[in-house]
Amino acid sequence: MPEIPSVGLRNGVEMPVLGFGTWPLDEAEAERMVSAALEAGYRLIDTAEEYANERGVGRAIRASGIAPGELFVTTKFNKSGHGVEEAQRACADNLERLGLERIDLLLIHWPNPGHGRYVDAWRGMLRLLEDGTVRAIGVSNFTPEHLQRLIDETGVAPHVNQIQLNPYLPRTEERRFHETHGIVTESWAPIGSGRELLREPVIETIAREHGKTPAQVVLRWHGQLGLVAIPRTTTPSRLPENLDVFDLQLTPEDLDRLATLDRHGAGILDPERFGH
């Protein structure tokens, strides 16, 4: 079973750098694939209220027999949880659906700035962190402007910001902001949506040169940039393949070639307008 490196969050909690994402799996699919992922060696599992699969994820976790301290479970809540008390109720609902006593990382799924309450949600999460209900707190799909407002109004930066990020969308500005404030960058859709990214000639060429698959090249790109990646798949045979990346070392020339794929923001879901 592969040993997955971890990254230390600002509060000392260790988070695996490679995990398994569960969107858009339904409950039954999530139970099946999370069970397979845990068997393959994954220890970071990502889900969300919006995915409507937390119960299936929880069943797989409990059936695995793996001790809670050996897993890192991430979930998220929607804008109905934006508020101090609301965030605490949302977390209780996450825990009930998962069937767990504690969440390793809880995220605000989208800022929903038009709703205007994500700072209050953050205050509620700070209480959850203080009382030990969660081990770490963060956000998802927040821009530097949203993050700065959290910092300005509460004095506390998130441990993690989970954003859409891959070689098409390297999010350089966001990553620079995160690094400045000690925020770990986590990539959703790390190998793109569909197969388009993995069919890029540049990636196929690098994969052939290293004796790896295109997906392995892209996942290693995330790792060498210091990012956490949560690829998803419905094909069990791809689970061990996606973990078999830590013996790959991309060269500076490889990284330069991958940088040519940057689409300069085209295709990013706009957090000013999109959200649950």
Side-chain angles (χ1 to χ4, degrees), residues 203-273:
I203 293 176
E204 291 181 329
T205 298
I206 295 172
R208 282 195 302 271
E209 291 171 354
H210 288 279
K212 292 290 188 179
T213 68
Q216 289 171 325
V217 167
V218 175
L219 290 173
R220 190 59 188 137
W221 174 85
H222 287 273
Q224 287 187 218
L225 291 181
L227 313 175
V228 174
I230 45 169
R232 64 179 189 263
T233 183
T234 57
T235 306
S237 63
R238 291 202 183 116
L239 291 168
E241 174 188 309
N242 287 347
L243 283 184
D244 185 22
V245 299
F246 299 110
D247 62 343
L248 171 60
Q249 187 67 27
L250 299 174
T251 68
E253 292 76 16
D254 293 334
L255 297 175
D256 287 343
R257 284 187 284 175
L258 290 167
T260 66
L261 299 175
D262 187 351
R263 291 185 170 179
H264 305 287
I268 294 174
L269 291 181
D270 183 2
E272 292 292 332
R273 294 181 292 176

Side-chain angles (χ1 to χ4, degrees), residues 42-120:
Y42 289 80
R43 291 298 179 262
L44 164 59
I45 304 296
D46 181 272
T47 182
E49 173 188 354
E50 181 63 24
Y51 304 166
N53 63 20
E54 286 174 302
R55 295 187 190 280
V57 169
R59 286 195 296 268
I61 289 171
R62 294 192 302 276
S64 73
I66 300 171
E70 297 178 27
L71 294 175
F72 194 96
V73 180
T74 301
T75 193
K76 318 171 192 75
F77 61 83
N78 293 343
K79 71 177 181 181
S80 58
H82 285 202
V84 176
E85 301 300 328
E86 290 88 341
Q88 293 171 85
R89 287 196 296 270
C91 180
D93 290 341
N94 291 126
L95 285 166
E96 187 277 327
R97 289 188 293 266
L98 286 164
L100 301 177
E101 295 182 357
R102 188 169 66 168
I103 292 168
D104 296 290
L105 175 62
L106 182 65
L107 307 178
I108 302 173
H109 203 156
W110 291 87
N112 296 102
H115 191 54
R117 302 198 66 196
Y118 66 82
V119 176
D120 286 334

